[in-house]
Every structure is written in structure tokens, then in C-alpha cells.
Amino acid sequence: TPSGSRAAHPSSEENKKAAMMRQARILRGGGGGIADKMFPGYKDKIWAALPQSIREQQVKGANNAFEKHIAQHKSWQGYLLSWKSMEKSFEPSQKYRKPAVDWRRQMERGTMHYGRWYEGPNGTDYRPGNTHDRLLDVKAPFTEAEWEERKQHRSFDLMKFGYMCLGLFLAYRVTNEWPVVWCEERKPSLEDA
């Protein structure tokens, strides 16, 4: 009878509930660990053997953890959006801006004033055409005695140092003997026998 068959088979509502209680497994690295290879499907068997209340508790716990992260994100989003409206108030006011323009912008705008901020050497003030090249005489700030004293503390030339290290390395490689490994014990071949 139709009513008898209905009693024998679970209802569609019970099927939905049973389907919801199945736990999905994520298979990584070739289908799980060593235990999964030794006992295929052991997690499903353990899950099926657990009481319904424990399975429901596990699924609810996983869902609640997921929902908790979403709720936390929503709460943070509320704070951040409220602070976003305050950003406009942090914009610097024109009232307190720095009353100076850097020299590159002044040159581009054509407002650069070539004034002197201190007197240069030999009567120069660093205006165009009235400059002094300090590299023409590198000894200028020192007297001859000071220059001779400075020569005693000159830093070592890096190229000469590099060549010296390369020469030492090549001399080391040429003059040393390198061990050669010989196989003393040979396996007897057919010709030796």
C-alpha cells in the first residue's frame, strides 16, 4: 500500500536532514594522510557511528565559527565606515600651509629668485655666470703642511686591494697541491682471473 511504503522509507524531510548532517571532506595531497590510505573512508565511518546529537553539535559549531567571522567583519566595517567620514576633517587647512615653494617648482613657474644665502669663495654668490668650480683646486681648503698630513691617512685604493686579493688567490691555487682520490681496491675482472 502507498501508506505502508511511506512508513518503510524515510520522508523527504528526513533525507534533507540526513544530507545536511553529512560532513564534507577536503582531500589534499593525493587523498589524505597515511591513515586514509591504510583505512579508506575511516573518517566517514567514524562520523556515521557518532550519535546524532554529537554530529549536530559539530556541524553547529563549524557553522557558528563561520558566522562569527562574518559578524566580526560586519562590526569592523561599521567602525571603519564611521571613521571614513572623518577623513575629510584631517585634510590640511590652507590657512596653515607652509608659505614656501621648493626651488624646482619656482624654476618651473618662472618665479625663482636667485638670491645669495651666503657669500661664496672668490667673491661668488652662485648666481648664473658668477659661480666657482670647487673641483678645479681640490687642495684649496688646506695648506701644504695640512695636505701632506692628510695624505698619510688616505684610504686604500679599492681596485688595488681587489687585484691584490685576486693575486693571492691565484698564487694559492697555483702553488698548492690538490688531493686526488684514487680507487685503490679494484674489483677483479674476468681478464685478471
Side-chain angles (χ1 to χ4, degrees), residues 43-73:
K43 289 183 181 177
D44 294 332
K45 292 173 187 172
I46 293 172
W47 183 254
L50 287 175
Q52 183 73 13
S53 60
I54 293 178
R55 286 191 286 176
E56 286 178 2
Q57 184 181 3
Q58 292 277 339
V59 171
K60 281 181 186 172
N63 288 342
N64 287 344
F66 181 74
E67 295 291 334
K68 181 178 152 191
H69 291 302
I70 292 176
Q72 184 181 22
H73 175 73

Side-chain angles (χ1 to χ4, degrees), residues 10 30 37 53 57 60 64 74 101 109-110 119 139 149:
K37 290 180 176 50
S53 60
Q57 184 181 3
K60 281 181 186 172
N64 287 344
K74 283 184 178 178
V101 182
R109 294 173 182 169
E119 289 294 327
K139 301 177 186 177
E149 197 248 332

Side-chain angles (χ1 to χ4, degrees), residues 127-189:
R127 289 182 295 178
N130 193 17
T131 59
H132 173 71
D133 188 2
R134 295 182 183 197
L135 295 177
L136 292 176
D137 186 12
V138 291
K139 301 177 186 177
F142 308 105
T143 62
E144 287 300 321
E146 287 172 337
W147 189 248
E148 289 301 320
E149 197 248 332
R150 278 178 66 83
K151 281 184 184 177
Q152 295 173 3
H153 305 291
R154 183 179 293 171
S155 60
F156 200 72
D157 188 358
L158 200 56
M159 283 295 285
K160 289 178 184 172
F161 179 73
Y163 284 135
M164 186 179 74
C165 288
L166 180 65
L168 285 172
F169 174 72
L170 292 175
Y172 172 76
R173 289 294 302 249
V174 168
T175 58
N176 277 339
E177 292 183 7
W178 296 92
V180 177
V181 179
W182 297 97
C183 296
E184 294 293 331
E185 299 176 13
R186 293 187 310 160
K187 292 182 181 177
S189 63

